[in-house]
Amino acid sequence: MRNRNFKRLLSAVMAGVMTLGILTGCSGGSEEAKTDESGATVIKFGIHVANPAEQEVVTYNIVEAFNKANEGKYKVEFEAADTETHSKNMKLKAEDGSLPQIFWIEGSEASEYSEAGVLLDLSEFLNENGNVKEALGGMEEAFVDDNGQFGLPYQCNVQGIFYNKELFDNAKVDYPTDETTYDEFIEMIGKLKESGVIPLAIGSKNSAYAMWEFNEFLARYGWEGNIDNILSGKDKFNNKELTACFEKLEGLKDAGSFPENMATIEYFDAKQLFNEGKAAMFGTGQWDCAEFDKNIGDKIGFWWGPKFTDTQSSQEIVMKVPSAPIGVSAKVADDEKLKEGVYEFLKFYYGEEAAKLSYEGSIFPATSYDGAAASDSQYAMNAMIEALANGWASPKAAPDLTVSSAVQEALYDGIFGVLQGTYKPAEALDKIDAALANSQ
Amino acid sequence: MHWLSKKKYKIGLMIPTLLVYSIFIMLPIVIAVRYSFTKYSGIGQAKFTGFKNYVRLFQDKIFWISLKNTMIMFVMAFVLLLTLSFLIALLLNKRLKAVDFSKALIFSPAIIAPIIVGIIWVYILDPNIGIINNLLDAVGADALKAKWIGGEKWSPYSIAIIYFWQQLGYLVTIFIAGLKMIPGDVLEAVKIDGASAVQEVRYVIIPMMRTTISTVAVLIITGVFKIFEIVQQTTGGGPNHLSETLVTYSYSMTFSSSDYGYGMSLATVTFLLSLMITAVYTAVTKEREG
């Protein structure tokens, strides 16, 4: 009898231990280590690339420089994952209260985090650090809502169309200028195509976000002036201005601007076509400058995109906008020492030394400091700086970052739908309107 | 071991498994169904919206496209995989030359990660760089060139073929295992009785392999409803969602559009559909057996 009871007890204990083991084995465990072995306060920085040392070199260098300058006091450690995984992880962490102290936020999701109250209002930081606010020069205004300053720009994004001068020369096509019109652009595409190159490299597979050159189209058809009316229901995406804009996209498709297999290639494949001299133009931003310096060198040119003559909206617009923001977890406020460390890092990140490191890595920082500039061998970045010299205005934010995730996704889908001939312009715009209606 | 065979001990020993199953399989399903009745962006509070997501789903053209694509893949995979894997298993069960090599060759796609499978097939099917179109070009059959992936028509068929290629070896192995279970003396008796090869398969092998056939059928049904990586790798669901399956569309809505509630309603419908088809198949085969 005693033996039987012992066996009962043993099996119950074993079952319990197994279950507990499995449950604990699958749980995430604590990641809130606050100091490292040297006693330095550890600050976690959630970043949207899997390997920051190679994929976000500038940010990696800034963090390294900060850690070196603050040895034994503060240490910033990356929590790295590719963009999609990072976004999913941050949402899960926001739900269970384990967000890293600082983290990159997908632009269209930033307001959702703010509304959920998981972000620290950084107004206090900016008020305490007037020099940072001055250096940001208004870039921070894109990330203010009723909850305050919910984020700060991770970088400054300069977006447009890079072109390969050599391929233009071969095709006997003049380089585009600020005054080049849409009709001239279409002509240019025809000649480039005749010369045997792909006029404009673009890939849509898993790359709907890679539509930076078309942000300029949207902006020049009055996006900034209309978007509030559209989002509040007073107007629709399917309006006269955006219809005209989407018709221009359709015109690009009709002119044969894109690779035939754009549906099965990704942004990276399209960039490869440009790097290899198989495509004459490629729409992107400053993050690709270093790669173009290496592959195309001084043959690189940069252009904002065509001017449109069928709209009253200003055409003197460039796309120098704040990138997606970085946010600080609201929980940081609970720990004075941690908050101090985070503020110290932000001060460094938006400081002059970090700005210089940014320029060295061909990235425009969100801040402006005198004396921080690109070197002569940074051809792609210098082409952008030259283009920026026209002094034209920029919108407060890139058009695609002014809408919620669902609408943003529909916007991307609509643009690529028209570029690929799947949708007619009105149909694409109706789909964006439907996405907006569903998201409200 | 007498004490272990008692009912109450059996139940006791099942508790850990049941707990794990409940927590990691059943609970997520329940949570997903719950979220399908809400509007939720993944952060903050989910807002109860009743059947709104389901009403939207039935009005959503892309849902119907995804369902159509899934069904095309299901029919193609079911017919091709069930028949061909069975026939190949019959062939490989014979003592032929190079049988072991053939088994290894046929099984090899099953050990390749689905993402790699996708990459391999991009190089075969891509309209520009793919082998098929380049071959057609080389032999002057330009008229037969098509957008096997990334176009508006052929993507679901191409994905079904890729899935077939990937799964064939695995299912052949299951069938071979089933064939090995048939007692040799039964087959010998059939031969002595003078049955033809077709009669042997029709009246002896198939009836004796009903359980194996059912298992393979259920694996195909549930497998088709989980095709994800191949779609992501070959077309990404594009162009413009035209090659989405139910599961990739659910993923896209949930994680790209941050529309968790709607994404979960798609996942729930996919789950119910898969359950329904499996139930119908099981009922039909049981009725026949009865």
Side-chain angles (χ1 to χ4, degrees):
Chain A
M1 189 67 186
R2 279 182 67 186
N3 192 28
R4 184 176 288 185
N5 283 340
F6 174 73
K7 282 179 179 170
R8 276 183 194 168
L9 187 68
L10 186 68
S11 59
V13 169
M14 279 174 69
V17 168
M18 273 171 67
T19 312
L20 211 64
I22 290 165
L23 291 178
T24 51
C26 290
S27 70
S30 172
E31 291 174 355
E32 296 287 328
K34 292 194 173 164
T35 53
D36 69 357
E37 60 280 2
S38 70
T41 302
V42 174
I43 299 161
K44 294 277 184 191
F45 186 166
I47 194 161
H48 60 297
V49 291
N51 184 358
E54 281 181 16
Q55 294 169 286
E56 281 293 315
V57 183
V58 165
T59 308
Y60 179 82
N61 288 341
I62 293 172
V63 165
E64 286 293 292
F66 174 79
N67 287 345
K68 202 175 165 192
N70 292 278
E71 221 168 333
K73 203 173 173 196
Y74 304 116
K75 187 178 183 194
V76 173
E77 283 178 0
F78 285 113
E79 262 186 34
D82 66 90
T83 309
E84 202 172 294
T85 312
H86 169 81
S87 289
K88 275 187 279 181
N89 288 350
M90 291 305 111
K91 284 193 170 182
L92 289 171
K93 283 171 181 276
E95 283 300 278
D96 71 9
S98 62
L99 277 170
Q101 282 79 43
I102 303 170
F103 63 107
W104 181 91
I105 311 173
E106 172 65 55
S108 62
E109 292 173 354
S111 57
E112 291 163 13
Y113 281 92
S114 177
E115 278 163 28
V118 296
L119 298 176
L120 184 71
D121 178 5
L122 295 169
S123 307
E124 182 193 53
F125 166 75
L126 288 180
N127 292 337
E128 283 174 10
N129 297 280
N131 57 330
V132 170
K133 193 168 182 176
E134 197 187 324
L136 283 168
M139 279 265 169
E140 77 284 6
E141 285 168 17
F143 308 112
V144 178
D145 66 7
D146 295 343
N147 300 314
Q149 186 76 47
F150 62 83
L152 292 172
Y154 173 62
Q155 289 163 351
C156 164
N157 273 354
V158 181
Q159 310 168 357
I161 300 172
F162 281 98
Y163 59 91
N164 185 328
K165 289 177 179 172
E166 197 169 21
L167 299 185
F168 271 67
D169 292 342
N170 294 345
K172 296 187 172 47
V173 177
D174 291 337
Y175 305 146
T177 68
D178 280 350
E179 301 309 317
T180 303
T181 63
Y182 176 77
D183 291 336
E184 288 164 345
F185 184 36
I186 293 290
E187 248 178 69
M188 183 193 294
I189 284 164
K191 286 181 187 165
L192 287 166
K193 205 170 162 61
E194 268 173 34
S195 75
V197 295
I198 297 162
L200 183 58
I202 193 166
S204 72
K205 190 180 86 178
N206 301 325
S207 310
Y209 55 86
M211 44 64 75
W212 300 286
E213 64 269 48
F214 302 119
N215 266 330
E216 189 73 48
F217 280 49
L218 297 170
R220 289 181 175 181
Y221 274 99
W223 181 280
E224 196 172 30
N226 292 337
I227 190 64
D228 286 341
N229 280 342
I230 294 172
L231 296 179
S232 65
K234 288 180 197 152
D235 197 353
K236 287 196 169 296
F237 282 103
N238 191 355
N239 61 34
K240 202 179 147 200
E241 284 284 87
L242 285 176
T243 301
C245 176
F246 273 50
E247 279 168 0
K248 301 300 172 299
L249 299 179
E250 192 177 37
L252 293 180
K253 186 259 304 175
D254 294 339
S257 311
F258 313 117
E260 276 177 39
N261 59 344
M262 73 179 281
T264 56
I265 62 170
E266 299 192 2
Y267 153 67
F268 301 100
D269 305 312
K271 185 163 62 177
Q272 191 66 19
L273 291 172
F274 184 63
N275 277 330
E276 289 172 356
K278 291 176 184 165
M281 290 179 277
F282 182 61
T284 184
Q286 90 280 357
W287 53 89
D288 282 325
C289 281
E291 198 172 328
F292 297 154
D293 288 340
K294 207 165 82 184
N295 291 291
I296 301 170
D298 61 354
K299 305 285 181 227
I300 196 86
F302 181 79
W303 178 47
W304 297 114
K307 272 190 170 179
F308 303 99
T309 51
D310 60 345
T311 170
Q312 297 302 310
S313 302
S314 169
Q315 298 300 296
E316 300 198 343
I317 294 179
V318 297
M319 203 52 64
K320 186 184 179 201
V321 287
S323 72
I326 49 174
V328 173
S329 166
K331 285 198 163 188
V332 165
D334 300 339
D335 186 327
E336 207 47 49
K337 204 171 174 194
L338 200 57
K339 189 172 147 189
E340 197 184 296
V342 167
Y343 279 14
E344 275 305 309
F345 176 69
L346 292 179
K347 240 160 73 182
F348 188 85
Y349 188 85
Y350 294 106
E352 199 169 345
E353 188 181 341
K356 280 180 182 158
L357 286 170
S358 272
Y359 274 103
E360 274 170 33
S362 292
I363 293 288
F364 286 97
T367 51
S368 299
Y369 288 99
D370 291 337
S375 70
D376 289 347
S377 59
Q378 288 175 280
Y379 307 108
M381 199 175 197
N382 281 321
M384 282 184 149
I385 291 169
E386 200 179 308
L388 280 165
N390 62 17
W392 290 355
S394 278
K396 264 191 185 172
D400 64 326
L401 296 187
T402 57
V403 291
S404 67
S405 313
V407 179
Q408 184 191 58
E409 208 48 42
L411 172 69
Y412 293 159
D413 186 52
I415 288 174
F416 278 100
V418 173
L419 298 182
Q420 291 170 133
T422 320
Y423 303 146
K424 299 304 285 178
E427 195 184 353
L429 291 163
D430 282 342
K431 282 179 185 291
I432 308 172
D433 278 320
L436 176 63
N438 282 325
S439 71
Q440 285 169 339
Chain B
M1 297 302 282
H2 171 72
W3 69 283
L4 283 176
S5 63
K6 285 192 176 175
K7 200 174 178 181
K8 57 181 178 181
Y9 294 122
K10 282 183 190 168
I11 293 170
L13 286 169
M14 279 170 68
I15 285 175
T17 313
L18 279 174
L19 263 176
V20 170
Y21 185 77
S22 305
I23 291 167
F24 294 109
I25 308 285
M26 296 311 292
L27 191 61
I29 293 173
V30 172
I31 292 171
V33 173
R34 193 182 133 245
Y35 275 122
S36 74
F37 294 103
T38 66
K39 183 172 168 47
Y40 183 47
S41 69
I43 319 164
Q45 288 296 311
K47 199 173 127 196
F48 182 73
T49 53
F51 284 91
K52 205 175 163 193
N53 286 328
Y54 290 94
V55 173
R56 176 181 162 195
L57 187 142
F58 288 107
Q59 294 166 344
D60 181 355
K61 273 186 190 169
I62 302 170
F63 164 72
W64 294 107
I65 290 170
S66 313
L67 181 62
K68 187 188 89 185
N69 290 339
T70 308
M71 285 303 139
I72 289 171
M73 291 173 202
F74 167 65
V75 172
M76 276 187 73
F78 195 81
V79 173
L80 288 177
L81 274 173
L82 201 62
T83 51
L84 288 180
S85 59
F86 180 67
L87 292 175
I88 292 171
L90 283 176
L91 201 67
L92 293 179
N93 200 37
K94 304 275 178 206
R95 285 180 189 162
L96 300 172
K97 270 186 185 174
V99 155
D100 290 335
F101 174 72
S102 304
K103 278 182 193 168
L105 198 68
I106 287 173
F107 191 73
S108 57
I111 58 166
I112 304 173
I115 284 286
I116 309 294
V117 169
I119 293 171
I120 293 170
W121 279 86
V122 164
Y123 286 104
I124 298 172
L125 299 170
D126 186 276
N128 270 33
I129 57 164
I131 294 169
I132 294 184
N133 276 2
N134 280 314
L135 269 178
L136 290 171
D137 241 347
V139 298
D142 286 31
L144 295 175
K145 278 169 67 179
K147 285 191 172 181
W148 307 111
I149 50 172
E152 295 184 15
K153 190 176 173 188
W154 294 108
S155 294
Y157 300 95
S158 298
I159 291 163
I161 297 286
I162 301 171
Y163 183 69
F164 163 78
W165 179 81
Q166 187 203 11
Q167 291 292 308
L168 184 70
Y170 177 57
L171 300 180
V172 165
T173 309
I174 295 175
F175 273 130
I176 290 175
L179 286 168
K180 300 274 184 221
M181 300 281 280
I182 300 174
D185 49 357
V186 174
L187 297 175
E188 208 177 317
V190 170
K191 280 195 183 87
I192 292 167
D193 287 346
S196 67
V198 175
Q199 284 172 324
E200 183 186 343
V201 171
R202 168 76 181 82
Y203 296 108
V204 180
I205 295 178
I206 291 179
M208 291 189 82
M209 283 188 64
R210 278 225 164 96
T211 316
T212 312
I213 294 170
S214 291
T215 307
V216 169
V218 172
L219 282 174
I220 297 171
I221 295 166
T222 51
V224 166
F225 281 91
K226 290 190 294 189
I227 297 177
F228 179 80
E229 296 95 331
I230 298 173
V231 179
Q232 287 297 100
Q233 199 56 50
T234 50
T235 66
N240 299 99
H241 301 291
L242 290 178
S243 62
E244 298 275 21
T245 60
L246 286 171
V247 69
T248 58
Y249 186 44
S250 166
Y251 181 87
S252 159
M253 282 291 114
T254 309
F255 296 112
S256 301
S257 298
S258 291
D259 203 344
Y260 282 61
Y262 188 54
M264 288 307 104
S265 68
L266 285 160
T268 304
V269 168
T270 310
F271 169 70
L272 290 176
L273 210 59
S274 157
L275 210 65
M276 208 173 73
I277 295 176
T278 310
V280 168
Y281 176 80
T282 313
V284 168
T285 47
K286 264 195 179 164
E287 202 172 283
R288 277 190 189 166
E289 279 171 29

